[in-house]
Amino acid sequence: MNAIEFIDVGKQYGELEALCDIRLSVKKGETLVICGPSGAGKSTLLRALNGLESISRGEIKVFGQPIAKALPEKVAMVFQHFHLFPHLSIVDNLIHAPIRALKLSRRDAIAAAMRVLNQVGIADQADKYPPQLSTGQQQRVAIARSLCMQPDLLLFDEPTSTDTTQEVMKVMTDIAKSDITMVCVTHEIDFARKIADRIVFMDKGKVVEIAPPEQLLTNPQHPKTQHFLEQLLSYQ
């Protein structure tokens, strides 16, 4: 069974076709990276997968179930801007959702939160508040909060910035060793090369090319992929 299946998925905003007949499957435990130019449909695809965006046609299945039935138990998302509660301690940020959604006791939720904070390397920050942490530490808190929901599928929307890439890469590499399936939207090609099992290149709402990192990044087959990578290299 695939972890994810997009079956002829389309999304329209009036005349704009944000997603066009997407056919894509992701294996359980796979790390899939989605890249492409601005307006390619990357974030729309991710939001549709998380149930934050309705689709106009087609079907999305998560572990064989229609997405409405799979959420929220199986899917968690790490947002680009973290969305941490600044007035709550780090540990309270982590236990808020598990207590409400998973019906954990406060004691069990705290124990689970501390295990996850240790996993991402910031257990010593548990009693601090988000504004007291660096950007990289806040990003790891956001990842830890998602892991506390015990997801089978973890989604990342642009998880790196210039000062957090190495920290996030280490955490995601560790997560990839588990059975968690990950889908990540990123513009960082070097980051994609190091964490992805496969890379999807999108343009104008369509999946243009799918291949393992070394193949897609060093020997792209589609002219649009070639042009995109040439532009990136010209800015470096």
Side-chain angles (χ1 to χ4, degrees):
M1 181 189 298
N2 288 318
I4 305 165
E5 290 181 87
F6 288 89
I7 306 168
D8 299 323
V9 171
K11 172 65 180 180
Q12 287 193 238
Y13 299 101
E15 297 296 317
L16 175 65
E17 194 161 32
L19 298 176
C20 181
D21 299 327
I22 300 295
R23 295 182 182 182
L24 177 65
S25 61
V26 183
K27 297 177 183 177
K28 182 180 178 182
E30 184 176 19
T31 298
L32 187 80
V33 167
I34 304 172
C35 65
S38 178
K42 308 182 299 295
S43 292
T44 302
L45 189 73
L46 200 68
R47 289 173 63 83
L49 183 55
N50 196 33
L52 297 175
E53 195 79 62
S54 63
I55 58 176
S56 303
R57 61 185 180 276
E59 187 176 16
I60 302 173
K61 291 185 177 182
V62 176
F63 299 103
Q65 293 184 320
I67 195 164
K69 293 183 179 180
L71 295 171
E73 291 84 1
K74 293 181 180 294
V75 185
M77 184 165 176
V78 180
F79 293 92
Q80 184 177 4
H81 299 295
F82 313 155
H83 298 313
L84 301 175
F85 296 114
H87 63 290
L88 297 180
S89 69
I90 300 309
V91 73
D92 282 335
N93 264 276
L94 267 60
I95 69 174
H96 183 77
I99 288 175
R100 290 173 176 266
L102 302 181
K103 307 303 181 185
L104 295 184
S105 68
R106 180 176 176 84
R107 179 178 178 178
D108 288 345
I110 290 174
M114 292 308 299
R115 285 195 297 270
V116 173
L117 285 173
N118 186 62
Q119 181 183 346
V120 301
I122 51 171
D124 58 336
Q125 307 296 319
D127 294 327
K128 292 186 178 180
Y129 291 80
Q132 296 176 292
L133 272 56
S134 68
T135 301
Q137 289 173 326
Q138 289 184 46
Q139 178 68 292
R140 282 188 277 172
V141 171
I143 295 171
R145 181 178 58 185
S146 293
L147 289 173
C148 280
M149 292 301 292
Q150 304 169 24
D152 295 317
L153 172 59
L154 191 53
L155 312 178
F156 294 85
D157 185 12
E158 295 286 3
T160 61
S161 63
T162 54
D163 59 341
T164 67
T165 299
Q166 293 302 318
E167 291 181 65
V168 175
M169 188 181 300
K170 183 182 183 306
V171 173
M172 291 181 68
T173 300
D174 289 341
I175 296 171
K177 296 174 184 176
S178 69
D179 288 333
I180 296 178
T181 306
M182 292 192 288
V183 178
C184 173
V185 167
T186 184
H187 64 282
E188 295 281 351
I189 294 301
D190 287 340
F191 179 74
R193 186 195 307 272
K194 291 175 182 175
I195 69 161
D197 293 310
R198 289 187 301 158
I199 297 178
V200 174
F201 175 73
M202 293 184 66
D203 187 56
K204 295 182 179 179
K206 297 180 180 180
V207 171
V208 175
E209 189 168 350
I210 309 173
E214 288 306 316
Q215 179 180 328
L216 189 138
L217 298 177
T218 62
N219 187 29
Q221 300 301 298
H222 198 285
K224 288 185 177 181
T225 316
Q226 294 169 4
H227 179 66
F228 175 73
L229 293 173
E230 286 168 0
Q231 283 189 315
L232 283 182
L233 290 172
S234 70
Y235 289 121
Q236 293 180 356

